[in-house]
Amino acid sequence: MSDLPSNTVTESDLDIARFIVERDFDGPAEVAPIVGDGSVNKIVAAQVGGQRLIVRMCDRVSGERNYPKEAWCLEHAAAAGIPSPTVLGVGVVDEMSYMVMTYVDGVGGKAFDGDKLGLWHTIGRYARIVHRIPALGFGNELRDGERNLFGNNHTQNWREFVQYNIDSLTSDDPALAKRVYTDADRSWLVSTFDGLFVLEPSVGLNHGDLALRNLIVGQTGEVTLIDWGCCSVNVVPHSDFASLLTWYSPNSDVLAAFFAGYGLTTGEVDRMMPVLKRFQVIQTFDTFRWSIDHCVSEVDRYAERAASVLKEARGALG
């Protein structure tokens, strides 16, 4: 078994990307790997007949689930006014899923040497647009693009999601064995999760991975938003906001710029924070439970994150 990272582009991957481009764009293609910040997609730059393209590839199962969803999101984001690459093709070759997109010239947000807080202001503005894109259902899988319908095999709506996480707080809960929480935390968790049922009406599209690494800054200053693999229909704006709280302090300059771009005042953010912290707890607990069946190698990391989020929330909220 190869010990290469799953996103490493091999010569075989380059051959597949070249085949796809030459087949679909009628001409000899030059291809080269691009090193990205993600951990799943293999990324190849291609040039054919003067046209520059990006070919993203991953295993068949992940790609067949995510690439049509990403294509849907990119199309709807562009229609809503967010600069986005155009998807030119999605398919499977030799058990490898692929998505071909137009190349966006520029520098990644992490490497950008200009005003990074300005980029976070833009991310906030884009997030507000994303949250208004019409989407139905609940979950991280696109079920019917024509109906804008999302779902999953886990829970079918917010109420089921909350109830599942309450029902999981049992004496034989794996989260107890992993020290995510203790018996003394159980009543607080039940009460906290129970109070989140009221968020059910506020469901909409969330990007799921709002970060500088998912921006491309062009020479003219246009900022393109990419990588919708983590998007879902979930509570807005709480899901995207809570994800950011995992990495940034509520009082950080980064979140101040983000919330300003979103259009929220400091007072509005402060009033939301108690609910966001509670939401963050249930979100990280659910991710830990998901990892047990779907990402075994990362179970300990997700357990540590959930335990840390719980400790912080209990300290802040009592």
Side-chain angles (χ1 to χ4, degrees), residues 188-250:
W188 185 90
L189 286 166
V190 171
S191 175
T192 293
F193 292 173
D194 186 71
L196 293 173
F197 280 119
V198 297
L199 298 177
E200 185 173 22
S202 305
V203 171
L205 188 66
N206 290 264
H207 180 275
D209 195 12
L210 297 172
L212 294 180
R213 66 177 176 275
N214 290 328
L215 299 181
I216 300 174
V217 185
Q219 292 185 349
T220 62
E222 183 174 74
V223 180
T224 298
L225 180 63
I226 60 173
D227 200 345
W228 290 79
C230 294
C231 84
S232 67
V233 169
N234 204 317
V235 178
V236 294
H238 300 68
S239 186
D240 272 334
F241 286 9
S243 295
L244 289 173
L245 285 174
T246 301
W247 308 111
Y248 299 99
S249 163

